[in-house]
Amino acid sequence: MTPPPARRRRAGANGSVPAHTLLRRGTVRRAQAITTYGVGSLIAVEHESFIVSGLDEADRSWNAEEAPRIQERRLALLLDVDHFRLPPASDDGSKDGLRVRRFPLMHSCPECGELQRHQDFNPPPRKSVCGTCEVDLVPSRFVVACAAGHLDEFPYWQWVHRSTDPASRSEEKCGGKLMMRTSGRTSSLRSIVISCTCGKVRDVSMEGSFRKKALKDLGLSCRGTRPWLGSTVPAEGCGRALRTLQRGSSSVWQPVLKSALSIPPWSSVRADPLAGHWEALRQLEDPEHIRIYLMGAFQGRCPLSLEDVLALLDAEREEEAEADAFPSFDHRYRALRNKEYERLREGNDESEHSREEEFVCESPLGDAGVLEPLGVAGPMLVKKLREVRALKAFTRLVDAESTTDPKEMPLSEKPLRWLPAMEVRGEGVFLRLDEDRLSAWEKQTAVIDRGELMRRAHQRVLDQRADDPTRAVSSPVTPRLVLLHTLAHVLINEWSLEAGYPAASLRERLYADDDMAGVLVYTATSDSAGSLGGLVAQGEPEHLRETTLSALRRAGWCSADPLCREAESSGASGTNLAACHACVMLPETSCEHNNILLDRALLIGTPDDPAVGFFGSVVTP
């Protein structure tokens, strides 16, 4: 995605770009600073290309002192930070914006064909044009990266001089200028030709530059450069294999996002009133000693009651106990979902809490028994919820979710006690599937076979995406996960029609494990579509029953049938079965799994075997 054109503020007497370029606020939405254009990512502005700067104190992406703080204690403890900060936005009081650096530095002139660093073109101040031809310069389409997260310029000089004597392979001895031209005959890499005016080498096309060992064959390896941290940061030794990538490829930057819902007791306070006192309070066991400490620390004006402080301390000790019992980050992150699931099942009454409560989950007024024939149990109306999504790190080339040892690149050179994050509020509907009926369904041979088919396909994808297939994570695919995932998709599609919500404003949160079988569909967005009350109204049992039946009937037919229903695999990676864009797929912002692991057959069955679908007995395929 490319943001709309925007004016840029630069300084520099000779036309060079300073350490930072400040984009006008509003060019990038606040959410994009976490999900799309976060630290270390490449961003195109008009005809120029930049990389978003790091978060270090001396030269960070934005002025952290102006950034509003947000608190989510459970997520902060998991990520080992004190708090989170919001990126800048055009609708707040910040005078700062998102700061970037020019990258890649290699540019070409479409008029004269020269290929060199941006400053060597002698562009006029405040412009990115060739000083001779006065036409817009074109940033290099190609960059190189390694699986450890480093990023560098494409080695054009080494690429064109690969056939020369190794002893003379130095740019100083060459004395020529690199040139780039496009033949225009085809759109392939063969039509992009690189040459050198030294006369010692032949013209070379870019064909073959994307081969896995193309740069290794030239004797090149990663230098460990980190351009988002600035030229003052020395390159760290790496030596890993380099891969050529297109500048706009999604493999250049993949965010590592972690999220959590605010649940009691942390959801009752918007800030951290005990900041700076946790260490001392954790040493105290007796409530009377805690009361005395609070009286002295807050001069008798503690913002919380003693009961609330004790509840927070109990939750804090519980989090620490789990951290000791489950040192693995993945285990502790899954524990967050387990607690959310329990809170969603139990609920809490809005009348028992103040307006500061960020989590309100109540049982519906209607009779939930009307849902029992469908196998749906325990619907809950989530009238208020708050979700915090934090950018933990980023990866290049390797998907962090596909390997047990991801090379996550931190957002700063030195460890910081905060991370950039988004805070969104909304409402939702939570429902569970009947455990007894679900367990019986999972034991069917046909269900097991379809689940295993998808698991093997997903495992192949994980192996391919991992830097080392031996460290690839095991696929989490089970029939239960696929069923809940597909159910969430058909409900979102139905509510986008019946309740008037755009599908992109609805989002799923799946709770699928041996002891969990729930789905939360919610409207956690940063705009006005997030809390209008319309979605909660759909959670009343009568409405939910009609909506579920209508969604299942609609899923029983696809315009791509019978190909969609009978496909042995579908999707770019082959990780779906009976699923396509004409039936159950959603906007990717609504889906937790990027529109994979979907199968209508496990939902409603097939014409030959309706029983393979969990809802096959209540809806005719």
Side-chain angles (χ1 to χ4, degrees):
M1 294 178 61
T2 301
R7 293 173 296 178
R8 301 172 304 283
R9 299 190 306 191
R10 302 197 203 115
N14 59 355
S16 62
V17 174
H20 277 107
T21 297
L22 183 63
L23 296 182
R24 181 176 61 86
R25 289 178 298 163
T27 299
V28 174
R29 296 192 305 274
R30 172 170 279 169
Q32 289 181 306
I34 300 294
T35 60
T36 309
Y37 300 121
V39 171
S41 67
L42 296 182
I43 177 172
V45 181
E46 293 180 351
H47 56 276
E48 300 181 76
S49 176
F50 304 94
I51 189 168
V52 180
S53 300
L55 298 178
D56 288 294
E57 290 290 338
D59 228 11
R60 57 169 53 129
S61 291
W62 62 80
N63 189 345
E65 301 305 321
E66 293 183 354
R69 292 191 181 191
I70 56 177
Q71 300 287 343
E72 175 46 50
R73 187 64 179 171
R74 293 166 60 244
L75 189 60
L77 288 172
L78 176 69
L79 299 177
D80 193 26
V81 295
D82 296 330
H83 60 274
F84 304 99
R85 293 184 185 269
L86 292 174
S90 58
D91 57 352
D92 59 21
S94 173
K95 298 179 181 180
D96 202 3
L98 191 63
R99 297 176 180 176
V100 298
R101 305 174 187 275
R102 188 181 298 282
F103 187 85
L105 297 179
M106 293 296 291
H107 284 62
S108 62
C109 174
E111 188 71 23
C112 62
E114 289 190 6
L115 174 65
Q116 57 189 354
R117 289 181 175 269
H118 182 271
Q119 64 267 25
D120 295 336
F121 283 98
N122 295 318
R126 301 178 182 275
K127 292 185 179 180
S128 179
V129 299
C130 177
T132 303
C133 306
E134 296 186 350
V135 298
D136 291 336
L137 296 174
V138 180
S140 170
R141 284 175 50 188
F142 310 103
V143 295
V144 295
C146 77
H150 300 114
L151 189 67
D152 207 347
E153 306 275 350
F154 182 83
Y156 288 104
W157 194 92
Q158 288 84 351
W159 182 254
V160 74
H161 289 79
R162 54 187 168 181
S163 60
T164 59
D165 181 9
S168 62
R169 288 183 187 173
S170 66
E171 298 186 41
E172 292 77 11
K173 295 181 180 180
C174 171
K177 283 188 175 182
L178 293 178
M179 309 292 290
M180 173 183 284
R181 73 175 189 275
T182 303
S183 67
R185 297 177 181 176
T186 67
S187 59
S188 67
L189 294 175
R190 182 179 296 182
S191 66
I192 303 175
V193 180
I194 313 297
S195 60
C196 183
T197 59
C198 67
K200 300 177 183 178
V201 292
R202 296 182 300 174
D203 296 355
V204 178
S205 75
M206 291 296 294
E207 186 177 26
S209 59
F210 282 77
R211 289 188 299 107
K212 193 170 184 178
K213 295 184 179 180
L215 301 179
K216 183 179 180 181
D217 293 342
L218 299 180
L220 300 176
S221 59
C222 180
R223 300 184 303 167
T225 55
R226 297 168 290 174
W228 63 95
L229 297 180
S231 57
T232 58
V233 178
E236 55 185 18
C238 181
R240 287 175 173 265
L242 288 170
R243 292 289 303 274
T244 303
L245 298 170
Q246 292 215 51
R247 176 164 45 90
S249 170
S250 60
S251 297
V252 172
W253 188 83
Q254 298 182 38
V256 180
L257 295 171
K258 301 300 176 184
S259 68
L261 298 181
S262 293
I263 59 174
W266 304 110
S267 57
S268 60
V269 288
R270 296 187 178 182
D272 187 359
L274 303 180
H277 301 281
W278 285 108
E279 290 298 328
L281 287 171
R282 278 196 290 260
Q283 307 302 319
L284 304 176
E285 296 288 343
D286 192 311
E288 181 62 22
H289 292 165
I290 295 175
R291 186 189 67 80
I292 295 173
Y293 177 87
L294 294 174
M295 288 290 292
F298 293 94
Q299 302 297 317
R301 298 179 180 179
C302 182
L304 298 178
S305 66
L306 179 61
E307 292 75 14
D308 289 339
V309 172
L310 293 176
L312 292 177
L313 283 173
D314 288 342
E316 181 91 357
R317 294 186 179 106
E318 184 180 351
E319 298 288 345
E320 290 181 344
E322 289 185 350
D324 294 337
F326 303 103
S328 167
F329 179 87
D330 292 335
H331 280 91
R332 287 183 286 134
Y333 188 55
R334 283 197 294 269
L336 295 185
R337 288 290 177 103
N338 293 335
K339 291 182 179 179
E340 293 174 7
Y341 183 73
E342 292 302 321
R343 283 295 180 177
L344 289 167
R345 288 189 61 172
E346 296 172 3
N348 63 338
D349 192 344
E350 182 176 13
S351 62
E352 298 178 359
H353 300 277
S354 67
R355 292 183 179 181
E356 297 295 316
E357 177 60 61
E358 298 283 2
F359 180 83
V360 177
C361 180
E362 299 178 348
S363 301
L365 298 176
D367 180 14
V370 299
L371 295 170
E372 290 181 3
L374 300 181
V376 175
M380 300 293 286
L381 309 181
V382 188
K383 295 184 176 181
K384 287 179 64 177
L385 65 81
R386 171 178 175 265
E387 181 190 20
V388 175
R389 303 172 193 163
L391 177 62
K392 176 177 180 281
F394 65 88
T395 63
R396 305 194 197 277
L397 296 176
V398 179
D399 183 0
E401 303 296 329
S402 65
T403 177
T404 58
D405 185 23
K407 300 300 180 182
E408 297 181 358
M409 183 60 69
L411 307 181
S412 60
E413 182 185 12
K414 298 178 181 178
L416 298 178
R417 298 305 302 170
W418 63 276
L419 288 174
M422 275 296 300
E423 177 186 47
V424 289
R425 292 178 172 85
E427 59 181 355
V429 174
F430 173 75
L431 58 88
R432 296 180 290 114
L433 298 183
D434 182 86
E435 286 286 351
D436 294 335
R437 181 171 169 178
L438 184 61
S439 298
W441 172 80
E442 289 176 318
K443 296 176 182 178
Q444 297 183 45
T445 302
V447 172
I448 295 174
D449 291 343
R450 290 188 76 90
E452 180 61 20
L453 185 64
M454 297 183 71
R455 191 201 66 78
R456 289 199 300 267
H458 189 229
Q459 189 63 57
R460 285 195 299 269
V461 172
L462 294 178
D463 293 343
Q464 293 169 1
R465 290 180 178 175
D467 182 33
D468 182 356
T470 61
R471 296 202 302 266
V473 300
S474 299
S475 171
V477 173
T478 61
R480 177 179 298 210
L481 172 62
V482 177
L483 170 64
L484 290 168
H485 190 200
T486 311
L487 176 62
H489 276 230
V490 299
L491 286 176
I492 289 175
N493 275 329
E494 192 67 20
W495 276 325
S496 69
L497 298 173
E498 297 294 332
Y501 286 93
S505 72
L506 299 177
R507 188 175 174 86
E508 68 180 5
R509 197 168 182 88
L510 305 179
Y511 300 90
D513 208 337
D514 294 338
D515 54 350
M516 295 191 297
V519 170
L520 172 65
V521 176
Y522 61 108
T523 62
T525 62
S526 56
D527 58 20
S528 59
S531 56
L532 300 178
L535 185 58
V536 168
Q538 299 297 318
E540 287 293 337
E542 285 292 345
H543 285 304
L544 185 57
R545 177 180 177 277
E546 294 301 322
T547 299
T548 304
L549 287 173
S550 177
L552 294 173
R553 293 191 189 102
R554 198 182 301 275
W557 183 86
C558 173
S559 59
D561 281 339
L563 295 178
C564 178
R565 181 77 70 88
E566 298 175 0
E568 295 184 359
S569 65
S570 65
S573 55
T575 50
N576 289 332
L577 288 181
C580 69
H581 285 285
C583 51
V584 298
M585 287 190 178
L586 293 174
E588 290 197 359
T589 54
S590 301
C591 179
E592 283 195 315
H593 294 286
N594 297 320
N595 273 329
I596 66 172
L597 313 181
L598 297 165
D599 182 19
R600 285 186 298 136
L602 291 183
L603 197 68
I604 56 173
T606 64
D608 296 333
D609 188 6
V612 76
F614 181 81
F615 298 99
S617 60
V618 295
V619 178
T620 302

